[in-house]
Amino acid sequence: MKTILLILTLFLPFAAQATDVEQIIEKANLASYYAGNDGRADVRMTIYDAKGGTRERQFTVLRLNSRNANQKFYVYFREPADVRKMAYLVWKKVGGDDDRWLWLPALNLKKRIAPGDKRTSFVGSDFLYEDISGRGPDEDNHQLVSENNDSWMIKNSPKDPDSVEFSYYMVWIDKQTYLPLKAEYYDKSDKLYRRVSAVKIETIDGYPTVLEAVAEDLNSGSKTVNSFSRVKYDIGLKKRIFTERFLRRPPREVRQ
Amino acid sequence: MKFLNRALLLILLLIASRGSGQAFDLGGFELHGFSELRGGIRLQNDAHQDSISLFEGRLQLEAAQQQDLYSWTLRGDLLADGVLDNQNQNLNRGSGLFDLREANLLFSPLDTVDIKLGRQILTWGTGDLIFLNDLFPKDWQSFFIGRDTEYLKAPSDALMLSWFPDWGTVDVVYTPQFDPDRYISGERISYFNPLLGRLAGENDSSRVTRPDTWLSDDELALRLSHNFGSTESAIYIYRGFWKSPTGFDVASGTNIFNELNVYGASLRAPLFGGVGNVEFSWYDSADDRSCDDPLVPNSELRFLGGFERELLPELTAGFQYYLEYLQDYTAYRQTLPSGTPQRDEFRHLLTLRLTRLLLNQNLTLSLFTFWSPSDADFYLRPNLSYKLTDAWLLTAGANLFGGENLDTFFGQFEKNTNAYVGIRYSF
């Protein structure tokens, strides 16, 4: 009996810490991707390549939380001109492949997109598909490395290393808002090659919100700045908006 | 001269549209579009056509307004065409200086009903560049000479009523005057003409009679669709005409469009880490149910199975198998006039699409291949497009046809094999 108690006491601090880390990660996931029941934002994405060239995308995102942490997204493109009026519909399924469709207005065509590697670029930027829609907390092992008064620093190692390009990433999570302030990605030779940072955070409708985020590719020297504006939460988005009807006819919520 | 005048006009319009450096905002609605130059040459010597297959300047303008109660869209192309001799303005064929792509009004008389009225582009079905239950007009000439894929779809002048009850969607499209395909007529693309028994080109224009009586030579297309979770299902009905003049009227000596009804269904769902689809249709050739008239196409059953998935990041592959089964084949063979090329009872077609994105998705390499083992012919569509900037797009590609026989679907186009380049400025 004594031995069992001893073993328990030995493991207790680790167990408690593990729970804490999982809780932090879970709360950070909720704060980053699930604020409110629904939300909208206008996004201006500026891609700076290493040679000084820039490209710009502008789109509006609608998001609706559904059951079991699943979500629906509607992305309506405004710029550049060649993708104007295209719409992108995602039914995100946690733990499975997302259902995705692209609306091509010139052809009046709802094209279904085969599930893709979530760690490929989103619309040619330095942000990855997974940065936009969220990486499942269960896909990594989490370890609290250090903390100070303001933030926790957590190391995340993939459970399936072959499925991703990083060997691990460090994330700094704000103790007040639970928003990730910075994530740094290390490659298989332990070299830092990618950084995503939240550079401007404000509270909107009661939810701490990232209003500017930067993704940097330290190998190529390119970076992408995402600026969010006209952010609103709990605007009463209906499920039916995330269907073909509103691909054909963009809903009022995406119009300016 | 005509071409030069039009080209000049386009350039002036382009300068005007660039004047503001941005798209116009005309108090409540915006004006957008693109201007484009495209040119292409035949890679083989075709006795029936010029060696230049494509040479045109195009300015597309779109004005649109979206409101809560209604929205409208006006979209049209000004075209300076340096290839076609006959440039009479024809909004159905898309020839002449102006091609109206869209002019429609969309409104919701009820909370669960949308109506779109006017000229519009319509598409449905699950195939990739293969259409079974989509009987909306196509423009095969544009497709084969290397215009943007957008131009494969020709506009319909129609009323589309969509009803969205809780259990699914009902779409009804009524076209009061039959809108045929912008079919291969010889004017840009030479083809095998069974009546001539040889290839026909720009000087062999055949006489075609289009059923064009309003409200009687009409088309009706219906789709019922329903989603089971991630699986999309649909049932289709069409009543109208064969979309190309495949029939022949001896009395008038003209090619005609026979009556056609189509019934079909489709499924599309996630499958093995990709997306799979199946679709079938029955083409009921209503003018010749007994199949004993060689001048009217027989009824057909058509089937499509497809699968697409990502092979590697930024590399996607799509595969399709397509089957046409000609019904009452014995009757067809017995009544076929001697000397006329004979179709197979089964036409098998395989397609493969490979798409590779490079350079931060600014460079797209794609290859679409059609190959028919039964017809022993093929059609390859390699294409490269590069986004020089957010506004400028460069494109180059080819349409490569080949086959053992002159009279098969792709084999007849062998002499039309062409390569093209284009540059587009979007605003």
Side-chain angles (χ1 to χ4, degrees):
Chain A
M1 195 61 197
K2 258 186 183 173
T3 331
I4 292 172
L5 270 178
L6 187 66
I7 290 170
L8 271 179
T9 347
L10 272 176
F11 278 93
L12 215 53
F14 293 101
Q17 194 195 35
T19 321
D20 285 350
V21 177
E22 298 309 323
Q23 277 177 0
I24 294 166
I25 290 290
E26 182 55 34
K27 283 187 177 177
N29 185 43
L30 289 176
S32 309
Y33 297 103
Y34 291 88
N37 277 324
D38 60 50
R40 80 173 301 287
D42 288 345
V43 185
R44 176 187 294 263
M45 186 179 247
T46 313
I47 305 163
Y48 301 88
D49 67 31
K51 294 176 195 148
T54 61
R55 292 177 195 254
E56 195 170 291
R57 282 103 185 76
Q58 286 182 41
F59 49 91
T60 297
V61 184
L62 306 179
R63 167 181 57 83
L64 177 66
N65 295 348
S66 10
R67 274 172 297 186
N68 303 326
N70 293 336
Q71 293 177 310
K72 290 181 176 175
F73 293 89
Y74 184 114
V75 182
Y76 181 74
F77 287 91
R78 298 177 197 291
E79 295 278 348
D82 65 331
V83 297
R84 202 177 67 86
K85 282 185 157 184
M86 281 189 193
Y88 180 50
L89 182 64
V90 180
W91 293 2
K92 174 179 151 185
K93 290 191 275 185
V94 172
D97 285 328
D98 300 345
D99 292 327
R100 306 189 295 172
W101 295 268
L102 188 65
W103 178 252
L104 302 171
L107 290 164
N108 200 54
L109 173 68
K110 183 176 114 176
K111 181 178 157 57
R112 189 152 188 165
I113 307 173
D117 183 339
K118 291 180 180 176
R119 298 204 63 78
T120 50
S121 160
F122 182 73
V123 296
S125 74
D126 296 293
F127 285 93
L128 307 182
Y129 185 81
E130 207 166 63
D131 297 326
I132 308 294
S133 69
R135 177 170 172 81
D138 296 344
E139 294 181 61
D140 300 317
N141 292 312
H142 314 286
Q143 183 196 348
L144 181 61
V145 176
S146 69
E147 64 180 298
N148 59 27
N149 288 337
D150 301 323
S151 63
W152 295 285
M153 181 179 149
I154 292 168
K155 181 179 180 179
N156 309 271
S157 312
K159 290 180 181 168
D160 177 7
D162 292 335
S163 69
V164 292
E165 86 288 2
F166 58 82
S167 67
Y168 65 93
Y169 63 99
M170 311 298 293
V171 61
W172 285 259
I173 294 173
D174 184 50
K175 286 189 168 177
Q176 291 241 298
T177 62
Y178 282 93
L179 285 176
L181 303 172
K182 188 169 69 170
E184 291 188 331
Y185 294 78
Y186 291 81
D187 65 17
K188 314 276 173 186
S189 53
D190 210 18
K191 178 175 161 248
L192 174 66
Y193 71 95
R194 178 168 194 264
R195 183 184 295 123
V196 180
S197 351
V199 294
K200 185 177 167 195
I201 295 174
E202 281 179 19
T203 299
I204 292 173
D205 297 339
Y207 302 100
T209 302
V210 177
L211 290 184
E212 190 168 309
V214 180
E216 296 163 272
D217 182 332
L218 305 175
N219 286 339
S220 74
S222 68
K223 74 169 181 177
T224 300
V225 179
N226 265 0
S227 301
F228 300 84
S229 60
R230 299 180 71 218
V231 180
K232 286 181 203 154
Y233 296 100
D234 298 319
I235 53 176
L237 291 180
K238 303 259 191 314
K239 210 168 71 178
R240 64 176 193 171
I241 284 177
F242 300 85
T243 63
E244 180 169 352
R245 180 182 192 184
F246 289 93
L247 288 174
R248 291 187 207 161
R249 191 186 77 158
R252 154 189 336 160
E253 288 80 1
V254 302
R255 298 201 301 261
Q256 288 191 326
Chain B
M1 265 330 273
K2 217 173 188 178
F3 174 73
L4 284 178
N5 287 339
R6 289 182 177 178
L8 194 64
L9 177 70
L10 280 182
I11 290 165
L12 288 173
L13 280 164
L14 177 61
I15 292 167
S17 70
R18 286 215 63 190
S20 61
Q22 284 288 326
F24 294 107
D25 186 351
L26 303 172
F29 68 91
E30 288 180 69
L31 193 60
H32 287 270
F34 62 80
S35 54
E36 184 184 74
L37 270 176
R38 260 181 202 247
I41 50 163
R42 278 193 164 65
L43 300 178
Q44 298 198 8
N45 198 5
D46 184 345
H48 303 278
Q49 303 284 353
D50 298 337
S51 57
I52 291 175
S53 50
L54 178 68
F55 179 40
E56 64 190 28
R58 184 184 290 272
L59 175 66
Q60 182 174 96
L61 291 173
E62 175 181 338
Q65 191 172 29
Q66 293 170 355
Q67 300 279 357
D68 282 355
L69 296 177
Y70 67 91
S71 51
W72 57 262
T73 305
L74 260 179
R75 187 160 64 94
D77 289 12
L78 287 163
L79 185 68
D81 183 346
V83 171
L84 221 56
D85 295 331
N86 169 14
Q87 303 209 352
N88 295 335
Q89 183 62 48
N90 184 330
L91 285 181
N92 279 317
R93 283 295 282 167
S95 62
L97 179 64
F98 183 55
D99 184 13
L100 183 63
R101 306 290 300 168
E102 284 189 80
N104 57 64
L105 179 71
L106 191 154
F107 58 99
S108 302
L110 298 169
D111 190 42
T112 56
V113 173
D114 285 350
I115 289 179
K116 194 173 187 181
L117 179 65
R119 179 160 278 217
Q120 52 192 302
I121 305 286
L122 291 160
T123 306
W124 64 38
T126 62
D128 185 5
L129 300 181
I130 292 184
F131 304 93
L132 285 79
N133 292 295
D134 177 339
L135 278 293
F136 303 115
K138 323 282 185 308
D139 182 348
W140 294 106
Q141 300 203 119
S142 290
F143 188 65
F144 289 153
I145 62 175
R147 286 181 178 149
D148 189 273
T149 317
E150 163 184 353
Y151 293 97
L152 171 58
K153 292 302 268 187
S156 301
D157 296 312
L159 179 144
M160 181 178 194
L161 184 148
S162 303
W163 177 41
F164 306 94
D166 290 336
W167 48 266
T169 303
V170 181
D171 295 297
V172 182
V173 178
Y174 180 69
T175 309
Q177 186 196 37
F178 171 52
D179 281 324
D181 283 351
R182 294 176 176 180
Y183 52 87
I184 305 292
S185 64
E187 62 180 5
R188 291 181 193 275
I189 293 281
S190 38
Y191 68 105
F192 184 82
N193 184 321
L195 296 171
L196 299 174
R198 61 165 172 84
L199 289 182
E202 55 183 348
N203 300 319
D204 296 302
S205 59
S206 49
R207 290 172 59 200
V208 174
T209 309
R210 174 170 78 107
D212 60 358
T213 311
W214 279 74
L215 304 175
S216 101
D217 293 327
D218 51 1
E219 294 173 281
L220 187 69
L222 178 117
R223 177 178 67 164
L224 298 172
S225 41
H226 177 75
N227 287 3
F228 301 92
S230 297
T231 302
E232 302 163 88
S233 69
I235 293 171
Y236 311 84
I237 298 173
Y238 170 80
R239 299 181 82 90
F241 301 88
W242 289 89
K243 305 297 285 192
S244 295
T246 41
F248 190 73
D249 180 54
V250 180
S252 61
T254 59
N255 290 88
I256 56 168
F257 300 84
N258 293 108
E259 285 189 19
L260 174 71
N261 302 319
V262 180
Y263 308 91
S266 70
L267 280 177
R268 184 163 64 178
L271 185 74
F272 306 126
V275 174
N277 63 290
V278 286
E279 184 167 343
F280 89 91
S281 61
W282 178 46
Y283 278 53
D284 168 27
S285 193
D287 282 348
D288 185 26
R289 289 229 172 80
S290 53
C291 303
D292 52 4
D293 187 343
L295 302 175
V296 178
N298 275 20
S299 297
E300 290 178 24
L301 281 171
R302 298 184 177 190
F303 170 82
L304 175 75
F307 178 66
E308 182 181 272
R309 74 164 290 169
E310 194 177 77
L311 296 180
L312 295 167
E314 316 285 30
L315 174 64
T316 307
F319 170 80
Q320 297 181 109
Y321 166 72
Y322 171 67
L323 173 72
E324 284 175 4
Y325 164 61
L326 194 65
Q327 288 184 277
D328 298 287
Y329 193 67
T330 316
Y332 162 78
R333 277 180 53 173
Q334 280 168 356
T335 56
L336 198 68
S338 63
T340 313
Q342 183 179 314
R343 276 183 62 175
D344 290 334
E345 186 172 16
F346 295 93
R347 174 171 176 246
H348 304 273
L349 184 64
L350 299 165
T351 78
L352 176 68
R353 179 195 279 278
L354 293 170
T355 309
R356 179 97 170 98
L357 299 178
L358 294 159
L359 305 177
N360 300 320
Q361 302 178 0
N362 290 312
L363 177 64
T364 305
L365 301 178
S366 79
L367 174 67
F368 198 101
T369 60
F370 295 86
W371 173 58
S372 171
S374 53
D375 279 355
D377 62 1
F378 64 85
Y379 170 34
L380 309 180
R381 287 173 60 84
N383 179 272
L384 172 161
S385 68
Y386 179 63
K387 290 183 182 181
L388 202 58
T389 68
D390 281 339
W392 289 99
L393 177 82
L394 300 173
T395 188
N399 294 285
L400 311 168
F401 303 92
E404 285 179 14
N405 303 302
L406 260 187
D407 57 1
T408 57
F409 189 76
F410 295 122
Q412 65 181 323
F413 300 132
E414 188 167 324
K415 296 288 183 198
N416 297 293
T417 291
N418 62 78
Y420 60 89
V421 292
I423 181 166
R424 177 184 284 203
Y425 176 80
S426 303
F427 57 90

Coordinates of all heavy atoms in Angstrom, one line a residue, chain A residues 20-49:
Chain A
D20 N -2.7 20.2 -16.9 CA -2.6 21.7 -17.0 C -2.3 22.0 -18.5 O -2.9 22.9 -19.1 CB -1.5 22.3 -16.1 CG -2.0 22.3 -14.7 OD1 -3.2 22.1 -14.5 OD2 -1.2 22.6 -13.8
V21 N -1.3 21.3 -19.0 CA -0.9 21.7 -20.4 C -2.0 21.4 -21.4 O -2.3 22.2 -22.2 CB 0.4 20.8 -20.8 CG1 0.7 21.1 -22.3 CG2 1.5 21.2 -19.9
E22 N -2.7 20.2 -21.2 CA -3.8 19.9 -22.0 C -4.9 20.9 -21.9 O -5.5 21.3 -22.9 CB -4.4 18.5 -21.7 CG -3.4 17.3 -21.9 CD -2.7 17.3 -23.3 OE1 -3.3 17.7 -24.3 OE2 -1.5 17.0 -23.3
Q23 N -5.1 21.4 -20.7 CA -6.1 22.4 -20.5 C -5.8 23.7 -21.2 O -6.6 24.4 -21.8 CB -6.4 22.7 -19.0 CG -7.3 21.6 -18.4 CD -7.5 21.8 -16.9 OE1 -6.9 22.7 -16.3 NE2 -8.3 20.9 -16.3
I24 N -4.5 24.1 -21.1 CA -4.0 25.3 -21.7 C -4.2 25.2 -23.2 O -4.8 26.1 -23.9 CB -2.6 25.6 -21.4 CG1 -2.4 25.9 -19.9 CG2 -2.0 26.8 -22.2 CD1 -0.9 25.8 -19.4
I25 N -3.8 24.1 -23.8 CA -3.9 23.9 -25.2 C -5.3 23.9 -25.7 O -5.7 24.6 -26.7 CB -3.2 22.6 -25.6 CG1 -1.7 22.7 -25.4 CG2 -3.6 22.2 -27.0 CD1 -1.0 23.6 -26.4
E26 N -6.2 23.3 -24.9 CA -7.6 23.2 -25.2 C -8.2 24.6 -25.2 O -8.9 25.0 -26.1 CB -8.3 22.3 -24.2 CG -9.8 22.1 -24.5 CD -10.1 21.6 -26.0 OE1 -9.3 20.9 -26.5 OE2 -11.1 22.1 -26.5
K27 N -7.9 25.4 -24.1 CA -8.4 26.7 -24.0 C -7.9 27.6 -25.2 O -8.6 28.5 -25.7 CB -8.1 27.3 -22.7 CG -8.9 26.8 -21.6 CD -8.7 27.6 -20.3 CE -9.6 27.1 -19.2 NZ -9.3 27.8 -17.9
A28 N -6.6 27.4 -25.5 CA -6.0 28.2 -26.6 C -6.7 27.9 -27.9 O -6.9 28.8 -28.7 CB -4.5 27.9 -26.7
N29 N -7.0 26.6 -28.1 CA -7.7 26.2 -29.3 C -9.0 26.9 -29.4 O -9.4 27.4 -30.5 CB -7.8 24.7 -29.4 CG -8.4 24.2 -30.6 OD1 -8.0 24.6 -31.7 ND2 -9.3 23.2 -30.5
L30 N -9.8 26.9 -28.3 CA -11.1 27.5 -28.3 C -11.0 29.0 -28.5 O -11.7 29.6 -29.3 CB -11.8 27.2 -26.9 CG -12.2 25.8 -26.7 CD1 -12.8 25.6 -25.3 CD2 -13.3 25.4 -27.8
A31 N -10.0 29.6 -27.8 CA -9.9 31.1 -28.0 C -9.5 31.5 -29.4 O -9.9 32.5 -29.9 CB -8.8 31.6 -27.0
S32 N -8.7 30.6 -30.1 CA -8.2 31.0 -31.4 C -9.2 30.7 -32.5 O -9.3 31.5 -33.4 CB -6.9 30.2 -31.8 OG -6.0 30.3 -30.7
Y33 N -10.0 29.6 -32.4 CA -10.7 29.2 -33.5 C -12.2 29.1 -33.2 O -13.0 28.9 -34.2 CB -10.2 27.9 -34.0 CG -8.8 27.9 -34.5 CD1 -7.8 27.5 -33.8 CD2 -8.5 28.5 -35.8 CE1 -6.4 27.6 -34.3 CE2 -7.3 28.6 -36.2 CZ -6.2 28.1 -35.5 OH -4.9 28.3 -35.9
Y34 N -12.7 29.2 -32.0 CA -14.1 28.9 -31.7 C -14.8 30.1 -31.0 O -15.9 29.9 -30.5 CB -14.2 27.7 -30.8 CG -13.8 26.4 -31.6 CD1 -12.5 25.9 -31.6 CD2 -14.8 25.7 -32.3 CE1 -12.2 24.8 -32.3 CE2 -14.5 24.5 -33.0 CZ -13.2 24.1 -33.0 OH -12.9 22.9 -33.7
A35 N -14.2 31.3 -31.0 CA -14.9 32.4 -30.2 C -16.3 32.6 -30.7 O -16.6 32.7 -31.9 CB -14.0 33.7 -30.4
G36 N -17.2 32.7 -29.7 CA -18.6 32.9 -30.1 C -19.2 31.7 -30.7 O -18.6 30.7 -30.9
N37 N -20.5 31.8 -31.1 CA -21.2 30.7 -31.8 C -20.8 30.8 -33.3 O -20.8 29.8 -34.0 CB -22.7 30.8 -31.7 CG -23.2 30.2 -30.4 OD1 -22.6 29.2 -30.0 ND2 -24.2 30.8 -29.9
D38 N -20.6 32.1 -33.7 CA -20.3 32.3 -35.1 C -19.5 33.6 -35.2 O -19.4 34.3 -34.2 CB -21.5 32.4 -36.0 CG -22.5 33.5 -35.6 OD1 -22.0 34.6 -35.4 OD2 -23.7 33.2 -35.4
G39 N -19.0 34.0 -36.4 CA -18.3 35.2 -36.5 C -18.0 35.5 -38.0 O -18.3 34.7 -38.9
R40 N -17.6 36.8 -38.2 CA -17.2 37.2 -39.5 C -16.0 38.1 -39.5 O -15.8 38.7 -38.4 CB -18.4 38.0 -40.2 CG -18.4 39.4 -39.8 CD -19.4 40.3 -40.5 NE -19.1 40.4 -42.0 CZ -18.1 41.1 -42.5 NH1 -17.2 41.7 -41.8 NH2 -18.0 41.2 -43.8
A41 N -15.3 38.2 -40.5 CA -14.1 39.1 -40.6 C -13.8 39.3 -42.0 O -13.9 38.5 -42.9 CB -12.9 38.5 -39.9
D42 N -13.3 40.6 -42.3 CA -12.7 40.9 -43.6 C -11.2 40.7 -43.4 O -10.6 41.2 -42.4 CB -13.0 42.3 -44.0 CG -14.5 42.5 -44.4 OD1 -15.2 41.5 -44.6 OD2 -14.9 43.7 -44.4
V43 N -10.6 40.1 -44.4 CA -9.2 39.8 -44.3 C -8.5 40.4 -45.4 O -8.9 40.3 -46.6 CB -8.9 38.2 -44.3 CG1 -7.5 38.0 -44.0 CG2 -9.8 37.5 -43.3
R44 N -7.4 41.1 -45.1 CA -6.5 41.6 -46.1 C -5.2 40.9 -45.9 O -4.5 41.0 -44.9 CB -6.3 43.1 -46.0 CG -5.3 43.7 -47.0 CD -5.0 45.2 -46.7 NE -6.2 46.0 -46.9 CZ -6.4 46.7 -48.0 NH1 -5.5 46.6 -49.0 NH2 -7.5 47.4 -48.2
M45 N -4.7 40.2 -46.9 CA -3.6 39.3 -46.8 C -2.5 39.9 -47.8 O -2.8 40.0 -49.0 CB -4.0 37.9 -47.2 CG -3.0 36.8 -47.1 SD -3.7 35.3 -47.6 CE -3.8 34.4 -46.0
T46 N -1.4 40.3 -47.2 CA -0.3 40.8 -48.1 C 0.9 39.9 -48.0 O 1.4 39.6 -47.0 CB 0.1 42.2 -47.6 OG1 -1.1 43.0 -47.4 CG2 1.0 42.9 -48.7
I47 N 1.3 39.4 -49.2 CA 2.4 38.5 -49.3 C 3.6 39.2 -49.8 O 3.6 39.8 -50.9 CB 2.0 37.3 -50.3 CG1 0.7 36.6 -49.9 CG2 3.2 36.3 -50.4 CD1 0.1 35.8 -50.9
Y48 N 4.7 39.2 -49.0 CA 5.9 39.9 -49.4 C 6.9 38.8 -49.8 O 7.3 38.0 -48.9 CB 6.5 40.7 -48.2 CG 5.6 41.8 -47.7 CD1 4.6 41.5 -46.7 CD2 5.6 43.1 -48.2 CE1 3.8 42.5 -46.3 CE2 4.8 44.1 -47.8 CZ 3.8 43.8 -46.8 OH 3.0 44.8 -46.3
D49 N 7.4 38.8 -51.0 CA 8.4 37.8 -51.4 C 9.8 38.4 -51.0 O 9.9 39.5 -50.7 CB 8.3 37.3 -52.8 CG 8.6 38.4 -53.8 OD1 9.4 39.3 -53.5 OD2 8.0 38.3 -54.9

